[in-house]
Amino acid sequence: MSERIGFIGLGIMGRGMAANLLKAGFELTVWNRTATRMQDLVAQGAHAGADPADVAARSDIIITCVSDTPDVKTVILDEQGVIHGARPGALVIDCSTISPQATREIADALRAKGVFMLDAPVSGGSEGAAKGTLSIMVGGAGDQFERALPVFQAMGKTITHVGGHGAGQTVKLVNQVLVVGNCIAMCEALLFAQAGGVDLQKTYDAISQGAAGSWMFTNRAPQIIQRDWRPGFTIDLQQKDLRLVLEAADELGAPVPVTSLIFQFYRTLQAQGLGSEGNHALIKALENLAGFEIKAIR
Ligand code: NAP
């Protein structure tokens, strides 16, 4: 019999991931702080938990997917947290993007109760969560990774065991350094093209398949050219991830000058109330410096 799954945090990512677990045939108990967000999944056959501890008491494997480090601590360690309902031998899988150091501390607290933990942050956005095509980078013990593999396979495509506790979070932050580095390069290049008076669509067509191409350029440059700021990933979450990079880099003594600069640019956009726009709206920070804008194609 397959293990019973609990799922905590039914946001943009969590609701798609949980639905895929149901589709794969797992018995599922869900909980979300805003209770109305549980309705869809309950209608699809999930049980509704009363709180995170209740979800843990009804489950063998408990998945968390909430916003930031303090939120993961709340749902796992607080008074009604997972730690108070989980039985010895249970496995907690945290799919949020949070601090690698805090991850190791949470794993230690769970281990003291005989509960296992894996950190398993994801990449692939809301689309990947809905389609079950996420990339999942996993830290923790090898036997627990093997145990969780059928669960990961229901939610993702590229599933990689990258090391011990916190290693999954570290690799996710590596991913984010590359994402924003690609993003700032794209923004600077498009603004330069605009200043040079060339047609932006023709510029895109000429170079997107060559050595300068990237996922970011292919998917987000067309959005910028249309001034379409709808988010695949919001500025607020992107800025949170860069804060995690800067904190970890400081602890490790690793220089991250480009990421530091981009972190500050995102700050300026948040200050202008743009936190819910897509991360490619980074170009607005450069437009503010330049004093001119990318022109929308109508
Ligand atoms: P989201 O749509 O903002 O959802 C956040 C979820 O966390 C909601 O269910 C929210 O509950 C819950 N939550 C937040 N603080 C909480 C607290 N203190 N106690 C209990 N529940 C709390 O975010 P998301 O996009 O799903 O992202 C979730 C995680 O995945 C984040 O760590 C994010 O960085 C990561 N991620 C996101 C993407 C993406 O493209 N969106 C891609 C990769 C990774 P309420 O419904 O009550 O607010």
Side-chain angles (χ1 to χ4, degrees):
M1 213 182 69
S2 65
E3 302 206 76
R4 295 166 305 157
I5 314 294
F7 205 108
I8 293 165
L10 305 172
I12 290 176
M13 298 300 284
R15 71 178 76 116
M17 294 159 75
N20 283 327
L21 290 169
L22 272 181
K23 273 187 219 146
F26 287 103
E27 186 178 340
L28 186 70
T29 303
V30 296
W31 180 82
N32 194 67
R33 180 180 57 184
T34 307
T36 49
R37 294 203 173 131
M38 292 193 276
Q39 284 167 359
D40 271 3
L41 283 150
V42 170
Q44 292 169 53
H47 310 290
D51 54 45
D54 180 46
V55 172
R58 299 182 193 204
S59 308
D60 305 303
I61 296 180
I62 304 105
I63 301 172
T64 52
C65 189
V66 295
S67 307
D68 199 352
T69 308
D71 309 309
V72 175
K73 286 187 171 167
T74 298
V75 298
I76 295 182
L77 302 178
D78 271 10
E79 215 170 287
Q80 292 172 333
V82 166
I83 198 166
H84 301 295
R87 281 182 302 278
L91 168 63
V92 173
I93 302 175
D94 180 33
C95 291
S96 327
T97 303
I98 66 162
S99 148
Q101 180 54 31
T103 294
R104 288 186 280 272
E105 289 162 15
I106 295 166
D108 285 346
L110 289 168
R111 189 188 300 121
K113 297 264 183 171
V115 176
F116 301 105
M117 182 175 176
L118 294 171
D119 46 303
V122 302
S123 112
S126 56
E127 266 196 357
K131 291 185 183 157
T133 57
L134 293 170
S135 295
I136 310 179
M137 30 231 118
V138 188
D143 57 342
Q144 295 304 314
F145 174 76
E146 293 299 329
R147 173 183 178 183
L149 209 45
V151 176
F152 290 139
Q153 282 164 343
M155 303 188 294
K157 273 248 154 22
T158 307
I159 299 148
T160 315
H161 184 211
V162 293
H165 291 303
Q169 296 295 354
T170 300
V171 172
K172 170 72 189 189
L173 296 183
V174 171
N175 183 80
Q176 297 308 72
V177 170
L178 285 164
V179 162
V180 297
N182 278 299
C183 193
I184 195 84
M186 166 182 65
C187 295
E188 191 167 301
L190 287 175
L191 212 58
F192 177 75
Q194 175 79 42
V198 289
D199 181 284
L200 294 182
Q201 186 60 48
K202 286 184 180 151
T203 304
Y204 175 85
D205 295 342
I207 65 177
S208 61
Q209 299 307 312
S214 63
W215 183 97
M216 182 62 72
F217 193 69
T218 299
N219 290 281
R220 299 295 175 236
Q223 268 194 276
I224 290 177
I225 294 169
Q226 298 295 336
R227 299 198 78 75
D228 170 3
W229 310 117
R230 285 175 297 173
F233 190 60
T234 65
I235 284 176
D236 280 341
L237 282 177
Q238 185 70 85
Q239 207 262 359
K240 180 262 299 183
D241 286 358
L242 296 192
R243 173 174 50 73
L244 295 172
V245 172
L246 298 191
E247 284 168 4
D250 189 33
E251 282 161 22
L252 298 168
V256 284
V258 176
T259 309
S260 304
L261 177 67
I262 301 168
F263 172 81
Q264 301 298 342
F265 281 147
Y266 277 123
R267 267 258 161 91
T268 66
L269 298 177
Q270 285 178 310
Q272 291 167 38
L274 304 178
S276 60
E277 293 193 350
N279 57 354
H280 55 293
L282 180 59
I283 198 162
K284 293 185 180 180
L286 297 187
E287 288 174 341
N288 291 338
L289 290 175
F292 62 88
E293 288 185 351
I294 292 288
K295 292 216 179 61
I297 295 173
R298 303 278 170 212

